[in-house]
Amino acid sequence: MKSTTQNLDEALTISAQLATIALAVISVLAASLFVLVFVVRSVIATDITPRLDRLELSVTSLSARVDSLDSRLDSLEQGQREIIELLTESSR
């Protein structure tokens, strides 16, 4: 009877030690994940966000330039049509 109780006590001790080790490992992993998330968010906030803002401004500026060129192209096409009409009328 004593050996059975002793075996159970040893098993409980080992189980408690394993549970403590498992909790410690989980705690370390959770802390590491927290640090990783913090670092990634910091990098995004300090490095990537300003770059995206500059990229957005560049795209907006480029879009305005394209609109301006499109307007100029329309004017040139209209002028070309008018010249063709004048040449056609003068050749008659």
Side-chain angles (χ1 to χ4, degrees):
M1 186 79 137
K2 187 176 183 182
S3 65
T4 303
T5 304
Q6 191 176 17
N7 287 341
L8 285 175
D9 286 343
E10 288 178 11
L12 286 174
T13 303
I14 292 172
S15 296
Q17 290 172 346
L18 288 175
T20 303
I21 291 170
L23 285 174
V25 168
I26 290 171
S27 297
V28 168
L29 290 175
S32 299
L33 181 61
F34 176 77
V35 169
L36 180 64
V37 168
F38 178 76
V39 168
V40 168
R41 288 185 68 171
S42 296
V43 167
I44 288 172
T46 59
D47 190 39
I48 295 174
T49 302
R51 288 182 182 187
L52 288 176
D53 291 342
R54 287 194 305 271
L55 180 61
E56 182 180 8
L57 288 174
S58 297
V59 167
T60 303
S61 173
L62 183 59
S63 177
R65 289 179 184 177
V66 167
D67 290 342
S68 173
L69 288 174
D70 190 39
S71 173
R72 289 179 184 177
L73 181 61
D74 289 342
S75 296
L76 287 173
E77 288 175 347
Q78 178 62 31
Q80 183 182 18
R81 282 192 292 274
E82 290 174 2
I83 290 172
I84 291 172
E85 286 176 15
L86 289 172
L87 289 174
T88 305
E89 287 177 8
S90 67
S91 66
R92 289 183 191 173

